[in-house]
Amino acid sequence: MDNWPGERPTRPSGKRLVVVTGGTRGVGAGIVRAFTEAGDEVVVCARRPPQAPLDGVEFVPLDLRDPPAVRAFFGRLPRLDVLVNNAGGAPYRLLAGTEAERHARVIDLNLVAPLTASLAAYDLLRRARGSIVMIGSVSGTRPSPGTAAYGAAKAGLENLARSMAVEWAPEVRVNTLVVGMVRTELSHLHYGGEDGIEAVSRTVPLGRLAVPTDIGGAAVFLASDAAAYITGAGLLVHGGGERPAFLDAATVNKPDEADEADREQK
């Protein structure tokens, strides 16, 4: 491909070309690994290269908040079968703790950047009858104190994906992975050390946080022929969600009380 940075290796024909944005660590690296193990050709684009690159995965430096650069990147691709809009994130920041412009930058990264990438990739995906996988968050479906701008952006992202799925059908499928808590190298910033992570894990019905490969496997599924009739959907990958707080606060209908009542009846 003309103007591609570095030499492109020769690959067997028939492989899909998958672009993962922000796939250099954490959830993104798990997604990259899953597509690679599925036999796909994967290109990662992010501002900084991965500390431990995967064999056979190409990295292209790209600021996804720079629309001309994003359009130029996709314009150089020979084809595209799958786009995974993974890049995103936000620091803990109370709304009144900073100015609106800083919150707007969070929305720009988590909502506007995926829109920019999707628009730039549209013609390639349409020709391939490909698919887009948005990486959403449970933060977009519940209150998110401390990360309100992030939650608002993720709520918008899921709605954007549903509208995109309708506008671009039947050529391009668009779905969202609604991701819960994931254990990554940065988990301590959100939950504390091992004690904090274990305590948070106990709030999840499956008893643990997700690992990046859990998200990767779900992304591969949504991009696969097995999901050929799925578009405009939001797939919950959250281990069962969160136990409602009122159940623990209530003074009746406790599980131990129910067990005791059942024993008395017998």
Side-chain angles (χ1 to χ4, degrees):
M1 183 178 62
D2 295 338
N3 300 322
W4 186 265
E7 183 178 354
R8 291 178 60 84
T10 301
R11 299 181 185 273
S13 61
K15 288 190 174 184
R16 296 184 305 177
L17 181 60
V18 180
V19 168
V20 181
T21 68
T24 59
R25 65 183 183 184
V27 170
I31 293 170
V32 169
R33 188 172 297 107
F35 276 102
T36 301
E37 292 175 352
D40 294 311
E41 180 181 356
V42 181
V43 177
V44 172
C45 55
R47 287 188 299 165
R48 291 181 290 274
Q51 293 182 343
L54 291 171
D55 291 340
V57 175
E58 301 179 47
F59 171 77
V60 177
L62 178 65
D63 185 346
L64 290 150
R65 294 168 295 185
D66 183 348
V70 172
R71 288 190 287 269
F73 164 74
F74 284 102
R76 294 195 301 269
L77 291 177
R79 69 186 195 286
L80 182 61
D81 300 287
V82 180
L83 168 63
V84 182
N85 280 310
N86 165 76
Y92 183 86
R93 182 179 294 153
L94 294 172
L95 280 171
T98 189
E99 65 278 3
E101 290 84 352
R102 295 189 71 182
H103 294 302
R105 286 198 288 271
V106 172
I107 295 173
D108 190 27
L109 175 62
N110 291 280
L111 177 57
V112 179
L115 172 60
T116 301
S118 298
L119 289 171
Y122 171 66
D123 284 336
L124 289 169
L125 291 169
R126 180 175 55 82
R127 287 198 292 270
R129 296 187 74 88
S131 71
I132 297 173
V133 179
M134 304 289 197
I135 304 302
S137 171
V138 294
S139 293
T141 62
R142 56 157 170 74
S144 300
T147 56
Y150 174 81
K154 290 299 187 180
L157 184 67
E158 189 172 0
N159 187 276
L160 173 66
R162 288 196 294 267
S163 297
M164 197 177 283
V166 173
E167 288 197 19
W168 292 359
E171 290 85 6
V172 181
R173 294 188 302 109
V174 187
N175 293 291
T176 304
L177 288 181
V178 183
V179 178
M181 296 178 289
V182 185
R183 181 162 188 166
T184 70
E185 60 269 37
L186 300 180
S187 292
H188 63 282
L189 298 179
H190 302 281
Y191 315 122
E194 286 300 319
D195 289 345
I197 291 172
E198 290 180 9
V200 172
S201 296
R202 289 193 293 270
T203 71
V204 180
L206 284 186
R208 67 173 177 88
L209 303 187
V211 293
T213 51
D214 291 323
I215 314 306
V220 169
F221 163 70
L222 281 182
S224 73
D225 290 341
Y229 198 64
I230 300 175
T231 193
L235 177 60
L236 295 169
V237 187
H238 61 5
E242 301 172 351
R243 178 178 169 81
F246 79 86
L247 292 176
D248 296 319
T251 59
V252 295
N253 297 325
K254 298 291 186 181
D256 55 344
E257 294 175 352
D259 291 343
E260 183 178 348
D262 184 60
R263 286 193 297 270
E264 289 179 354
Q265 290 177 3
K266 293 179 180 179

